């Protein structure tokens, strides 16, 4: 299984009690390749950029999602790990992958995170403040779906944005060792489903 190869990464460094202005100043001082900075409610989180194994899972999930979106003939824009921030909400976060769904979308509708370490800021709270409709987490060899409701995020059994997505097929293909084989298997599996 590909996910068993992911090793736990170092825990993030957390710096508390910063104002937004102080955070932006610190961000200018320490922004460099290899580091990812997030911010929520006065807490700065500094993480090392993902390693090869995390990147492999991220790319696999992204490839499968994009195949599916093309199959459905949906307009979409992959926005990668674009930085999302809101000074009023005191939040800055970037997911591993994000997508704008629809021709006229102005912000990410779906964010995907591959979690290989614990600790840090509350990711769901950060995405709630950024009003991201759906977040997927790959953690402990499992894909977890969260949909944004009136009270915040709720764990759901499948994607609300892509309700016809076969989660079992997606999981099998994420866990297939060979990347090209995973993509072929996924394409073959979705062809039996009619686009909605």
């Amino acid at each position: 299984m590909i996910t068993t190869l992911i090793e736990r990464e170092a825990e993030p460094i957390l710096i508390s009690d910063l104002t937004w202005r102080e955070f932006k100043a610190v961000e200018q001082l320490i922004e460099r390749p290899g580091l990812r900075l997030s911010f929520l409610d006065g807490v700065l989180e500094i993480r090392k950029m993902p390693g090869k194994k995390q990147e492999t899972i991220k790319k696999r999930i992204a490839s499968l999602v994009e195949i599916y979106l093309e199959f459905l003939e949906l307009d979409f824009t992959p926005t990668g790990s674009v930085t999302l921030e809101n000074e009023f909400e005191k939040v800055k976060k970037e997911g591993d992958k994000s997508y704008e769904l629809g021709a006229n979308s102005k912000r990410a509708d779906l964010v995907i995170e591959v979690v290989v370490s614990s600790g840090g800021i509350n990711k769901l709270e950060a995405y709630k403040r950024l009003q991201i409709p759906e977040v997927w987490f790959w953690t402990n060899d499992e894909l977890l779906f969260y949909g944004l409701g009136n009270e915040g995020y709720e764990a759901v059994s499948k994607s609300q944005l892509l309700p016809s997505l076969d989660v079992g097929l997606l999981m099998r293909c994420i866990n297939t060792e060979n990347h090209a084989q995973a993509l072929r298997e996924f394409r073959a599996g979705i062809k039996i489903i009619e686009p909605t």
Side-chain angles (χ1 to χ4, degrees):
M1 251 168 95
I2 196 168
T3 54
T4 58
L5 299 175
I6 295 180
E7 299 166 2
R8 292 309 241 184
E9 294 187 355
E11 301 300 317
I13 296 170
L14 301 174
I15 301 171
S16 300
D17 301 321
L18 296 177
T19 65
W20 180 263
R21 187 173 176 179
E22 290 168 334
F23 159 64
K24 294 309 275 182
V26 170
E27 181 181 46
Q28 293 294 323
L29 293 173
I30 63 174
E31 192 165 1
R32 64 177 75 174
L35 295 178
R36 180 178 282 178
L37 307 178
S38 299
F39 183 80
L40 179 66
D41 286 338
V43 178
L44 168 63
E45 174 188 283
I46 305 170
R47 283 189 188 271
K48 289 168 111 181
M49 290 296 281
K52 179 182 177 186
K53 293 169 184 170
Q54 181 180 358
E55 284 291 305
T56 300
I57 293 292
K58 175 182 87 169
K59 296 287 189 183
R60 172 74 55 82
I61 295 170
S63 295
L64 298 171
V65 166
E66 290 173 22
I67 287 169
Y68 191 69
L69 293 172
E70 287 178 28
F71 175 76
L72 294 178
E73 299 179 0
L74 291 177
D75 286 330
F76 71 96
T77 302
T79 51
S81 58
V82 68
T83 299
L84 307 165
E85 68 179 30
N86 182 320
E87 179 180 359
F88 178 75
E89 292 288 344
K90 300 177 187 168
V91 62
K92 175 193 174 195
K93 184 77 181 90
E94 64 184 73
D96 291 315
K97 291 296 286 183
S98 61
Y99 294 90
E100 295 173 0
L101 304 178
N104 299 314
S105 185
K106 301 293 185 214
R107 62 168 167 68
D109 296 291
L110 171 62
V111 170
I112 301 169
E113 291 250 357
V114 177
V115 180
V116 296
S117 63
S118 59
I121 65 170
N122 182 328
K123 293 172 180 62
L124 283 177
E125 178 62 25
Y127 290 129
K128 180 179 110 178
R129 292 186 191 188
L130 294 163
Q131 293 294 295
I132 305 300
E134 192 162 293
V135 179
W136 299 1
F137 288 102
W138 178 262
T139 182
N140 298 323
D141 299 340
E142 197 174 356
L143 192 57
L144 306 173
F145 301 91
Y146 293 89
L148 184 59
N150 292 335
E151 302 298 317
Y153 284 100
E154 296 176 25
V156 292
S157 60
K158 62 181 186 172
S159 173
Q160 296 175 334
L161 295 173
L162 306 171
S164 61
L165 176 63
D166 182 336
V167 175
L169 174 64
L170 180 63
M171 293 290 293
R172 275 193 316 278
C173 294
I174 292 170
N175 287 316
T176 299
E177 191 68 35
N178 181 285
H179 184 73
Q181 179 184 342
L183 301 185
R184 287 191 296 270
E185 182 181 332
F186 190 71
R187 278 190 191 98
I190 62 174
K191 285 184 179 173
I192 61 171
I193 303 170
E194 291 295 320
T196 56

